[in-house]
Amino acid sequence: MMKKKIISASKASLVLLLCQMVSALDVPLDLSQPPTITQQSPKDYIVDPRENIVIQCEAKGKPPPSFSWTRNGTHFDIDKDAQVTMKPNSGTLVINIMNGGKAEAYEGVYQCTARNERGAAISNNIVIRPSRSPLWTKEKLEPNQVREGDSLVLHCRPPVGLPPPIIFWMDNAFQRLPQSERVSQGLNGDLYFSNVQPEDTREDYICYARFNHTQTIQQKQPISVKVFSMDSLNDTIAANLSDTDIYGAKPVTERQPVLLTPTGSTSTKVELRGNVLLLECIAAGLPTPVIRWIKEGGELPANRTFFENFKKTLKIVDVSEADSGNYKCIARNTLGSAHHVISVTVKAAPYWITAPRNLVLSPGEDGTLICRANGNPKPDISWLANGVPIAIAPEDPSRKVDGDTIIFSQVQERSSAVYQCNASNEYGYLLANAFVNVLAEPPRILTAANKLYQVIADSPALLDCAYFGSPKPEIEWFKGVKGSILRGNEYIFHDNGTLEIPVAQKDGSGTYTCVARNELGKIQNEVQLEVKDPTMIIKQPEYKVIQRYGQVSFECIIKHDSTLLPTVIWLKDNGELPDDERFLVGKDNLTIMNVTDKDDGTYTCIVNTTLDSVSASAVLTVVARPNPPFDLELTGQLERSVELSWVPGDENNSPITNFVIEYEDGLHEPGVWHHQTEVPGTQTTVQLKLSPYVNYSFRVIAVNEIGRSQPSEPSEQYLTKSANPDENPSNVQGIGSEPDNLVITWESLTGFQSNGPGLQYKVSWRQKDVDDEWTSVIVANVSKYIVSGTPTFVPYEIKVQALNDLGYAPEPAEVIGHSGEDLPMVAPGNVQVHVINSTLAKVHWDTVPLKTVRGHLQGYKVYYWKVQSLSRRSRRHVEKKILTFRGNKTFGMLPGLEPYSSYKLNVRVVNGKGEGPASPDKVFKTPEGVPSSPSFLKITNPTLDSLTLEWGSPTHPNGVLTSYILKFQPINNTHELGPLVEIRIPANESSLILKNLNYSTRYKFYFNAQTSVGSGSQITEEAVTIMDEAMASRQVDIATQGWFIGLMCAVALLILILLIVCFIRRNKGGKYPVKEKEDAHADPEIQPMKEDDGTFGEYSDAEDHKPLKKGSRTPSDRTVKKEDSDDSLVDYGEGVNGQFNEDGSFIGQYSGKKEKEPAEGNESSEAPSPVNAMNSFV
C-alpha cells in the first residue's frame, strides 16, 4: 500500500490560509488600536495550595495598555497586599504562597481589565479554588461474611476532594485486584460482586483515592470478606445461625438477575453538550448476568459509542441534543432478565454561532458587530462598552444596539472602543471582546517581498498577500511583473488576499505580483513560485514470508525532483525500527539479518522532502515450526482404548496441518517412542486403540509446512490389563541344517505384542503326505527349535502358536518346510558339445532324476578348461573356468574361447548342500581364427634407396600363419600420400630389405599377418631414406658463393634507392602516383605475413582447406580417407629434420603412437637449408 501527502502546499497552507483570514483584520502594532486580550487563565482555575498562584492576563494595544483587577466584583488593590505582585508590562498576577501565604485566603472570582486611550478589554471571570485531598473519616469496618453465590457490594465512599479523586482497588501488596464480568468497580468507586465465590475470601480489599493535583494517594482501611461454601456452612449452621437467618440452610441455587445499580426500574440523567455521557448498569445473579444496551426508538450513535467495564458502562463521546432519549440496559442469564431505563436529557451551556470580530473602519464608514450564541436553555445576550454595561456607558451617536447586533454609522475617530458580548444561561457563559478602531491608513502589504513558495506539481499553491489599510484595500494579482491581471476558474481569490492555484503545474512557476489599493494609495509586492516534480516510490517493498533465523530484504527505490533532497525513514508498525544491529538500512533497502519472531509486522518506507512525503508499506510474516502442544489429558480409559486431548501450541504464522501422536511402552521398551497415528491440524482430540499389558505414555508433535515441532511433554501413564496374545509369530520356516534334522525358526513377538506375562511358544510339526499325528513341544520365549532324526529332504507341515499366562493365541496357519539336504547322487549324462565358431561353443546334457538330487535343485555347473593351443603344440597351466546355469536347464553357451585350441569340460548338478559328481570329461576343439597383429615392426639401416624391415610373429596366431602382407607409400613435403605398394611375404620370414626407394623420402608402412581364415589387425610404422651427400653439399655451399652474395647486396641497394627517391618526392609536395592504388589494392606479394599465411618452410592454413586429390593427406581432420587406407594416419605435427640415431634408425618413427594423435604444427619433414628457404621465397 502507498500513501502520499503534500506538506507546505495543502494541509499546512490551508491552516495558513485560515490564520491569514483572521490576521488580515489585525491592526499592525505600530498603529493606534484598542487593547486586545491575548492570554488569560481558565474560568475554573484549581491551583495547588503548596505552590504560588499565577493568574494570567496578557494584552496588546497602541499605546500599550495598563492593567487592573477586580476580586469578587470589587477593585483589587494589589499594592496593599505584600504577597501579590504584577509582572512588568503585563497584567499577570503572582500570589506568593510559598513564603507564608495561604491559598484559601485568595479564593474568589478575579477579572482583569486592560485599558488605553482607545478603550478597555476585560477577561473572563476567573474562579480561583485551591485543590483539596482530605483524609478518609475513621470508621469501624465489620468483616463481610457472605454465602457462596450471593451478591456483595464493598463501599469505597472516598472523601470529597477538589477535583474528585480517581478510585482503584488494590491489595496489601499494591497489586490491582483482578476484575471480570463477575467482579467490577462502579463509577462511584464501589466494588460490585454479581456473585461471590470461595476464591473471593481475603482480608485485604483496599480502596485507594488518588488526587492528581496534589499527587497524593489516600488509603481506606482494609475490608475483610469471608465466603462460606455450602459444605462448611452446613457444619456450622446449627451453632452460628438461627433457622430464620437469611443464610438458613439454603443450598447454593442459581438466581435470575437483579440490578445492584441503578436501583428501581427508571432513572434520569442530565449531561451537557460536548461532554462524555456515562451510563452504568451492574447486576447480581447466578450465573453471572450479561449486560446489553439499547436506545429506545433509535440506534446508538455509530463511531461515538463505546462499551467499558465488561459492557456494564455505556460511553458516548461528544454528546449533542440528538443523543437525548431513553437508554435501556438489559441484564440476562439462563434464568431470566432484568432491565432499567435511563432517561437522558442533553442540555447545553452557551456556544458561539457568530462571535463578534474586531472592526476597523475609516472615518465616515459604516459597520456592524454581531454576537450570536445558542444553548439549552437559550442564552441571554448582553453588551458592554469598555467593560461597562452599554446602557450606562457614554453615549455614541454613531452606534445603535439592536439585540445581538450593534450598528455603526458615519463613525469618527472618537467612536473607537472595545465592546464585550456576554451570552449566559444556567449552565455557563461566554464573553468575547471586539474593538471598533477608526483609522485612515493607505494600503500596506505585510507579506515579505520576493517570498519564495515551493509546491509539488498537481497540488494546490497558496500565495500570500497579507495586507492592511483603512478603508479596506482592493487586491489584484498579476503573473509576472508586467503581466495581465489574473482571472478565471483556474484561480481562487481569498478575502485575506491569498491567491490559490488549485492545481499547480510546472509551467506555472515564476513571479506573481500582488497589488493593494484604496483611496489613500497603492502598493505592490512580488512573490516567487517554484513547482517541483512529485516524489514517487517506483519500487515498493513487497509482502515477504520468511523462516525464523533467515534473512529478508525490503526494497524502496525512489524518484524525486533533482532540486529536493529526500530523506528515507523506515518504520516498524508505525514506530521506530528496533535498536538492533541486525537491521541494516541501505540506500534503497532495508535488510533484516537472523530474523526472529519479534520482527513480524508491517514495515513502512517513508520518503520525506521539504515539500512532500510518500510512503509504502509491506508486511513481514515470520514463520517457523509450531510450538509443541501442551496440557495433554487422558480421558475415557477403557481396556482397549483411551481418548487423548491436548492444547495446540503457537503455530508461528504457518497453519498446523496435522498432529503426530507417539507412544512409549514403559513396561517393555522404556525411552523408545513409536508412531501411533496422525490426525488433521484442526483436531485436538483422538480416540486411540490400545494393546493389553502395555504401560502407555503419549506425546503429540505438531506439523506445519516448515517442519515438526518439538514433542510435547509426555502424558500421564496408563497401564492396560493383560489378555491372551492376539497374534502368532511371523515368518515361520522349516529348513534342515543337516541331512537328518529340521530347524524350525520364527520371528518372536515383541513385549508389546505379548499381551501379558509368561510369553511362550507351542511348536508343532508332522511329515507331509503321511498319516501322522502332530508332534508338539512348548518352548520358552526363543525363536528356534531343532527336530532331529528326520529323513533326508522330506516335506513337513509346521505351525508355531504363541501363549502367555492367560492363554493361547488364535490357531496359527500351517507352513511347509523340508528336512536337511544331502549332496546329489548322480552326474548329468549324454553330454554333447557343438562348436559354433572359433570363440563360442554350446554344450548339452540330460537332466538327472529329481530323487537323486536330494535337495532343492539350484541348477547345473559347467567346468571347462583349455588343454593346449593347436598352433604351438605346447601345454600350458590349466585354468578351469566355471559357468552356472540356474534352474532345470539342459544346455548352455560357452563364450570367450580361444581359436584353434583343444578344450575339456564336464557338467555337475547343484542343490542347497553342494555339487554332485562330475560327468566324464568331454574333449572339443575350436577352429582357426584371424591372428593378432605382429608383435613388433622395426625399420633399420636406412640408405639412399633402401630400408631394412624386421618384425615379430603375432602373440596369438589363432591358427597356422600363411603369410605376411606389407603395404607402404611415400609421403611428400606437403604430407600428401603417394601410391600404395603391397608385398606378400612368406610366413617363415622375419625380415625384409626394401630397395629402389627414393632418397630423402618418408615412407609409411602397414604390416599384418594372415591365416587361412583371413588377415589380422595391422601395425604401422614410418621411416625416411637418407639424403645424397653431394646435393647436400651444394645446398650448403650456395649460401657462401660470391655471386649469390653480390646478388643479394644489389637487390638490397636497389630497394634502398627506391625508398630514398620516394621520401624526397614526398617532401617536395609531390604525390606518390600509385599510393592510392596501393592503399586500395594492396599487393599480396608484399603484404606482411600473418600467422595463418604461413612462414618459411611451413604449410599455410589456406592450403589446408583446399580439397586434396586422391592419396593426398587431409589436413582438416588429419586422417586418411577410408578408400585409401583402413588405418588412420598420424599427424606429422613435430618437425622431422632427417636426423638418425646412432644405430641408424629414424628418430621421428611413430611406432607405438596412436593413429589419430593431434598435430602440433605443419612443419616440413625436409631439413631446412638456404636453398630451400630461397625456393620457398621464390
Side-chain angles (χ1 to χ4, degrees), residues 1028-1044:
D1028 181 18
E1029 295 181 0
M1031 178 63 72
S1033 175
R1034 287 197 298 272
Q1035 289 179 350
V1036 174
D1037 292 341
I1038 189 172
T1040 61
Q1041 298 299 315
W1043 63 269
F1044 180 77

Side-chain angles (χ1 to χ4, degrees), residues 1026-1098:
I1026 67 174
M1027 184 185 298
D1028 181 18
E1029 295 181 0
M1031 178 63 72
S1033 175
R1034 287 197 298 272
Q1035 289 179 350
V1036 174
D1037 292 341
I1038 189 172
T1040 61
Q1041 298 299 315
W1043 63 269
F1044 180 77
I1045 296 173
L1047 179 61
M1048 294 295 101
C1049 292
V1051 170
L1053 181 61
L1054 182 61
I1055 293 172
L1056 179 61
I1057 294 172
L1058 181 61
L1059 292 174
I1060 293 172
V1061 171
C1062 292
F1063 180 74
I1064 293 173
R1065 291 193 62 183
R1066 188 177 184 87
N1067 287 341
K1068 288 182 178 181
K1071 186 175 182 182
Y1072 186 41
V1074 294
K1075 183 178 187 307
E1076 292 180 359
K1077 292 183 180 181
E1078 287 179 344
D1079 293 341
H1081 307 289
D1083 186 354
E1085 292 288 332
I1086 62 175
Q1087 290 298 309
M1089 301 188 77
K1090 299 178 181 178
E1091 183 180 352
D1092 57 350
D1093 289 334
T1095 55
F1096 295 151
E1098 297 181 351

Side-chain angles (χ1 to χ4, degrees), residues 456-511:
I456 295 297
D458 297 327
S459 62
L462 292 100
L463 309 183
D464 184 21
C465 184
Y467 64 90
F468 181 78
S470 184
K472 181 180 178 181
E474 295 181 354
I475 303 298
E476 293 178 328
W477 280 91
F478 299 85
K479 175 73 185 294
V481 179
K482 298 180 179 180
S484 58
I485 189 171
L486 297 180
R487 292 188 177 89
N489 295 330
E490 64 267 30
Y491 302 103
I492 299 175
F493 303 94
H494 293 279
D495 290 341
N496 66 344
T498 297
L499 169 65
E500 179 181 351
I501 306 174
V503 183
Q505 301 296 331
K506 292 278 286 185
D507 57 4
S509 299
T511 301

Side-chain angles (χ1 to χ4, degrees), residues 578-605:
D579 185 12
D580 192 329
E581 60 184 9
R582 297 181 300 108
F583 288 76
L584 306 176
V585 178
K587 177 183 177 183
D588 51 16
N589 61 56
L590 167 66
T591 301
I592 307 174
M593 313 288 290
N594 196 23
V595 172
T596 67
D597 293 339
K598 294 182 180 179
D599 301 331
D600 198 273
T602 300
Y603 289 83
T604 303
C605 167

Side-chain angles (χ1 to χ4, degrees), residues 151-156 167-170 176-196 200 205 207 260-261 279-284 288-291 308-313:
S151 61
L152 175 66
V153 179
L154 300 182
H155 297 288
C156 180
I167 305 301
F168 52 94
W169 289 80
M170 301 179 74
R176 284 187 179 269
L177 295 176
Q179 298 191 22
S180 64
E181 289 184 342
R182 188 177 63 84
V183 182
S184 60
Q185 177 182 316
L187 294 176
N188 63 356
D190 292 347
L191 190 63
Y192 292 85
F193 295 77
S194 295
N195 53 80
V196 295
D200 296 327
Y205 286 93
C207 181
L260 297 175
T261 184
L279 304 179
E280 180 182 56
C281 274
I282 301 177
T288 302
V290 176
I291 305 296
E308 297 179 346
N309 197 19
F310 308 97
K311 291 192 175 181
K312 299 174 187 179
T313 302

Side-chain angles (χ1 to χ4, degrees), residues 795-1044:
Y796 278 87
E797 294 175 336
I798 304 168
K799 57 185 180 180
V800 180
Q801 185 179 22
L803 67 152
N804 62 19
D805 291 349
L806 279 77
Y808 285 87
E811 185 66 23
E814 300 173 5
V815 298
I816 303 299
H818 288 80
S819 57
E821 299 180 69
D822 206 347
L823 294 177
M825 299 172 62
V826 299
N830 194 23
V831 178
Q832 301 293 330
V833 179
H834 172 60
V835 178
I836 297 175
N837 57 38
S838 61
T839 61
L840 180 65
K842 183 176 183 181
V843 58
H844 293 262
W845 62 86
D846 291 341
T847 60
V848 300
L850 290 179
K851 290 185 178 181
T852 65
V853 177
R854 298 201 294 182
H856 296 286
L857 176 63
Q858 294 186 353
Y860 292 86
K861 284 187 179 180
V862 177
Y863 286 75
Y864 65 100
W865 61 95
K866 180 180 176 182
V867 178
Q868 65 177 14
S869 173
L870 298 178
S871 60
R872 305 193 180 187
R873 301 297 180 185
S874 60
R875 294 189 177 272
R876 52 179 289 180
H877 174 68
V878 176
E879 180 182 352
K880 289 187 178 182
K881 297 181 179 179
I882 304 172
L883 285 179
T884 301
F885 300 95
R886 298 289 178 184
N888 196 16
K889 288 194 174 182
T890 59
F891 69 91
M893 306 298 289
L894 305 180
L897 302 177
E898 294 185 12
Y900 204 51
S901 300
S902 176
Y903 281 88
K904 286 185 179 181
L905 64 77
N906 59 51
V907 185
R908 310 177 192 194
V909 67
V910 181
N911 68 9
K913 188 72 171 177
E915 301 174 4
S919 65
D921 291 347
K922 188 72 176 180
V923 178
F924 67 96
K925 298 179 180 178
T926 54
E928 288 188 83
V930 296
S932 63
S933 62
S935 58
F936 67 90
L937 174 63
K938 184 167 64 174
I939 304 174
T940 59
N941 301 326
T943 65
L944 287 175
D945 59 355
S946 69
L947 291 169
T948 300
L949 279 67
E950 299 177 356
W951 61 87
S953 60
T955 305
H956 302 287
N958 294 338
V960 179
L961 295 180
T962 58
S963 62
Y964 293 100
I965 302 298
L966 174 65
K967 299 178 183 180
F968 64 94
Q969 58 188 148
I971 304 173
N972 63 13
N973 291 340
T974 60
H975 291 193
E976 293 180 345
L977 300 175
L980 189 64
V981 179
E982 181 176 328
I983 301 175
R984 185 176 295 275
I985 304 171
N988 57 352
E989 297 290 339
S990 61
S991 64
L992 175 68
I993 298 176
L994 280 179
K995 299 183 178 179
N996 299 322
L997 303 176
N998 297 329
Y999 68 87
S1000 190
T1001 301
R1002 175 181 291 168
Y1003 288 89
K1004 184 163 187 179
F1005 299 92
Y1006 314 90
F1007 192 67
N1008 63 321
Q1010 281 189 333
T1011 64
S1012 60
V1013 177
S1015 299
S1017 57
Q1018 66 182 8
I1019 187 172
T1020 63
E1021 190 57 270
E1022 293 184 9
V1024 179
T1025 56
I1026 67 174
M1027 184 185 298
D1028 181 18
E1029 295 181 0
M1031 178 63 72
S1033 175
R1034 287 197 298 272
Q1035 289 179 350
V1036 174
D1037 292 341
I1038 189 172
T1040 61
Q1041 298 299 315
W1043 63 269
F1044 180 77

